[in-house]
Amino acid sequence: MNEKQKRSAQALVLSFPSPIVLGIGQMATTIMILYVFKLNKIIHFPDFDKKIPGKLFPLPLLYVGNHISGLSSTRKLSLPMFTVLRKFTIPFTLLLEAIILGKQYSLNIILSVLAIVLGAFIAAGSDLTFNLEGYVFVFLNDIFTAANGVYTKQKMDPKELGKYGVLFYNACFMLIPTLIISVSTGDFQQATEFRHWKNVLFIIQFLLSCLLGFLLMYSTALCSYYNSALTTAVVGAIKNVSVAYIGMLVGGDYIFSLLNFIGLNICMAGGLRYSFLTLSSQLKPKQPVDEESIPLDLKS
């Protein structure tokens, strides 16, 4: 593939106008993959019964709130300010884990979390703008994201739904409401009018995006399952800072600023400190047995 073809392929992906439809595709992919694996006894999760909605609640509502508030907040704030305020997901997660799961964290862990938030403020210090509506939406988005992470951790208990059950049933329950949101916002119509549906290259890229979306959801659930919702949130923050570091070296779109550079380093230091404290903790919890991957005949 020559340079012109590569640019054409990239433009094809970026021109797709319907992120909600892509999300629906990722949900459908999640449902199909997990159901096929369950049929072939590769994984196990509970069959559907009338108790499933109660066990899953309030995850579907949190997902809708997270999705709507996320879309609304990105339209009201600049990217640097949005990035700063999204870091408040981490202290909110810490607080909700203490309230809902009864977890207790040391002062060093709390200070590491605060360092990440402080670093984000410093990094975006030259672009701090105030928009009340945007602030409200982004803080709601932080709360929904934190609550979703904490409740997902709670529901992934093998005695409840397990990680595969949470992923499968959450996708099932959210498919139709998300489709309704897509139709009501005009997102679905934009997708149906997209002119590249007969382009084989676009179809391959769309399906690959759906598959990668499933892998992202699965890896996030796996991280929360074996660690904690707080660790998952911190890993996400470190990932964002790492992307910024890479952008300094390649890509050519990073504009150096002393405040920004100092803030990024404080963020990374806080994240690395959190990782060190977590890994070196003397209270090493026993890793949960992956009961969902054990065939039913071996459990009896």
Side-chain angles (χ1 to χ4, degrees):
M1 183 181 287
N2 58 38
E3 189 64 27
K4 185 176 180 180
Q5 289 174 320
K6 287 180 180 179
R7 290 181 180 178
S8 177
Q10 185 180 22
L12 195 63
V13 178
L14 295 176
S15 64
F16 186 66
S18 310
I20 301 180
V21 169
L22 179 59
I24 292 171
Q26 292 171 350
M27 290 180 201
T29 302
T30 299
I31 293 169
M32 287 188 291
I33 291 176
L34 293 181
Y35 188 69
V36 169
F37 279 19
K38 177 178 170 64
L39 287 179
N40 288 278
K41 298 183 179 179
I42 298 173
I43 61 173
H44 170 71
F45 55 85
D47 294 324
F48 181 78
D49 59 48
K50 61 182 180 180
K51 295 181 181 179
I52 292 294
K55 288 182 177 180
L56 194 62
F57 185 85
L59 281 181
L61 296 179
L62 293 175
Y63 182 90
V64 172
N66 191 21
H67 192 75
I68 295 175
S69 60
L71 287 175
S72 301
S73 59
T74 53
R75 296 170 183 171
K76 302 292 182 182
L77 296 172
S78 65
L79 182 59
M81 195 65 245
F82 176 77
T83 303
V84 167
L85 296 178
R86 284 292 290 145
K87 292 293 188 294
F88 278 92
T89 298
I90 302 174
F92 283 148
T93 302
L94 188 151
L95 181 63
L96 289 176
E97 279 196 329
I99 296 172
I100 297 171
L101 302 181
K103 298 193 90 174
Q104 294 183 344
Y105 290 101
S106 67
L107 179 61
N108 284 331
I109 290 286
I110 295 173
L111 291 176
S112 299
V113 166
L114 293 178
I116 296 173
V117 178
L118 175 63
F121 264 110
I122 295 174
S126 60
D127 195 62
L128 297 183
T129 55
F130 182 79
N131 181 307
L132 180 60
E133 188 178 357
Y135 274 48
V136 170
F137 276 119
V138 79
F139 275 117
L140 284 174
N141 191 219
D142 290 339
I143 294 170
F144 281 125
T145 301
N148 186 68
V150 172
Y151 275 108
T152 297
K153 174 67 176 178
Q154 183 186 59
K155 304 298 182 181
M156 283 192 298
D157 188 328
K159 296 178 182 178
E160 294 287 330
L161 294 174
K163 60 181 177 293
Y164 300 116
V166 167
L167 287 172
F168 180 81
Y169 288 115
N170 199 38
C172 287
F173 282 114
M174 285 315 307
L175 194 61
I176 293 177
T178 307
L179 181 59
I180 293 173
I181 292 173
S182 179
V183 172
S184 63
T185 58
D187 183 87
F188 186 78
Q189 183 178 356
Q190 288 181 321
T192 56
E193 294 173 353
F194 189 60
R195 68 181 190 277
H196 293 297
W197 283 113
K198 294 182 180 179
N199 188 308
V200 176
L201 179 59
F202 170 74
I203 295 296
I204 293 173
Q205 292 170 335
F206 183 84
L207 293 176
L208 185 60
S209 297
C210 292
L211 177 61
L212 292 175
F214 160 71
L215 292 176
L216 177 62
M217 287 187 284
Y218 175 68
S219 60
T220 302
L222 207 61
C223 182
S224 296
Y225 181 75
Y226 285 109
N227 299 287
S228 68
L230 180 61
T231 297
T232 302
V234 171
V235 167
I238 295 175
K239 181 262 296 179
N240 291 337
V241 177
S242 301
V243 170
Y245 277 128
I246 295 171
M248 296 177 192
L249 304 174
V250 297
D253 58 349
Y254 177 78
I255 301 173
F256 179 81
S257 161
L258 184 60
L259 273 179
N260 182 270
F261 185 71
I262 292 172
L264 288 176
N265 281 288
I266 293 175
C267 262
M268 181 58 78
L272 292 177
R273 177 65 175 164
Y274 175 90
S275 301
F276 174 78
L277 291 170
T278 303
L279 292 174
S280 63
S281 175
Q282 295 180 354
L283 298 175
K284 295 182 179 179
K286 186 178 178 182
Q287 280 195 340
V289 178
D290 195 354
E291 295 185 12
E292 300 133 277
S293 298
I294 302 177
L296 290 174
D297 54 349
L298 296 180
K299 291 185 179 181
S300 56

